[in-house]
Amino acid sequence: MTTLNATHDLKLRSWVTSANMAGCDFPIQNLPFGRFRRAGSAESWRIGIAIGDQILDLKATGLIDTDDMNSLMAVSPTDRRALRSAISQGLSEGSEKQKAWAEALLPQAQAEYTVPCHIGDYTDFYTGIHHATAIGRLFRPDQPLMPNYKWVPIGYHGRSSSIGVSGQRFKRPRGQTKAPDAAAPGFGPSKRLDYELELGFFVGPGNTLGEPI
């Protein structure tokens, strides 16, 4: 693990006991943001930090005054680093914030989640040669990988309305498929399902059209 700053120090321990357990996905060195609420409730969505098996409600700590993740992600790098530092210090063993912040914790098992921010648009990319070859084989069995793939990033427009949180239910799309022994295609739900891991990067403040990010 790369030590980017003091918040990534491997010697850090948290007063949230579960964050110190071996193999924990969310130790104090890893503080991912998300939006959550109590499962099955009609509460408003809030911004939280995963720590151990808990979620820390950031607004309840007084560190932020918004439930809008877009505005939070658009702050300057200096302010963003300062917020992370304050969270890390408050969750560290011996912190004076422990008593107050303990009231702002919710077990992850009792929470439900939503898409963390408003996604206006996105561009999808092939980033792995093996994945690109596998997909290309479906369309071009004789030449799965185009000659320029290794030099030119292949990006295409995605539909942001299709993005959801993990665990969502969805209907199999309906369309035409043709069995190998059939004379003509038939209409109906898809019979096979393809899935893949997606990794997204959010660009906070954005950029002027034509200007580099």
Side-chain angles (χ1 to χ4, degrees), residues 21-73:
M21 297 178 63
C24 174
D25 290 329
F26 305 111
I28 193 170
Q29 294 83 3
N30 179 31
L31 301 171
F33 289 76
R35 291 178 71 222
F36 75 100
R37 67 184 178 190
R38 199 175 303 274
S41 74
E43 297 173 353
S44 60
W45 296 104
R46 306 189 296 280
I47 297 175
I49 289 288
I51 178 70
D53 60 2
Q54 305 288 313
I55 303 170
L56 178 68
D57 185 338
L58 284 190
K59 199 171 184 181
T61 66
L63 291 177
I64 63 173
D65 59 1
T66 182
D67 294 317
D68 178 15
M69 186 75 87
N70 288 71
S71 63
L72 185 61
M73 290 191 289

Side-chain angles (χ1 to χ4, degrees), residues 59-186:
K59 199 171 184 181
T61 66
L63 291 177
I64 63 173
D65 59 1
T66 182
D67 294 317
D68 178 15
M69 186 75 87
N70 288 71
S71 63
L72 185 61
M73 290 191 289
V75 301
S76 70
T78 299
D79 289 341
R80 189 166 59 248
R81 285 191 290 266
L83 174 59
R84 179 182 172 87
S85 179
I87 295 170
S88 178
Q89 292 176 35
L91 289 172
S92 295
E93 282 186 336
S95 170
E96 61 180 17
K97 301 289 188 181
Q98 178 175 349
K99 183 177 180 180
W101 285 19
E103 300 297 320
L105 292 176
L106 177 71
Q108 293 175 23
Q110 297 178 20
E112 60 185 14
Y113 309 90
T114 188
V115 176
C117 57
H118 171 69
I119 303 171
D121 204 358
Y122 77 91
T123 300
D124 218 334
F125 287 90
Y126 283 118
T127 58
I129 193 169
H130 300 294
H131 175 60
T133 301
I135 296 298
R137 192 174 290 118
L138 299 176
F139 302 100
R140 301 177 301 275
D142 56 329
Q143 189 180 29
L145 196 69
M146 299 303 286
N148 67 342
Y149 175 82
K150 296 179 181 179
W151 294 275
V152 181
I154 298 178
Y156 53 95
H157 186 259
R159 188 174 66 184
S160 59
S161 62
S162 67
I163 298 176
V165 296
S166 297
Q168 66 176 322
R169 297 179 63 85
F170 61 93
K171 293 183 178 180
R172 290 178 178 268
R174 298 175 65 86
Q176 296 187 69
T177 55
K178 181 182 178 297
D181 57 349

Side-chain angles (χ1 to χ4, degrees), residues 187-204:
F187 182 80
S190 62
K191 298 179 176 63
R192 294 191 297 177
L193 179 67
D194 178 40
Y195 59 91
E196 58 193 28
L197 172 68
E198 299 282 1
L199 179 64
F201 293 88
F202 184 88
V203 181

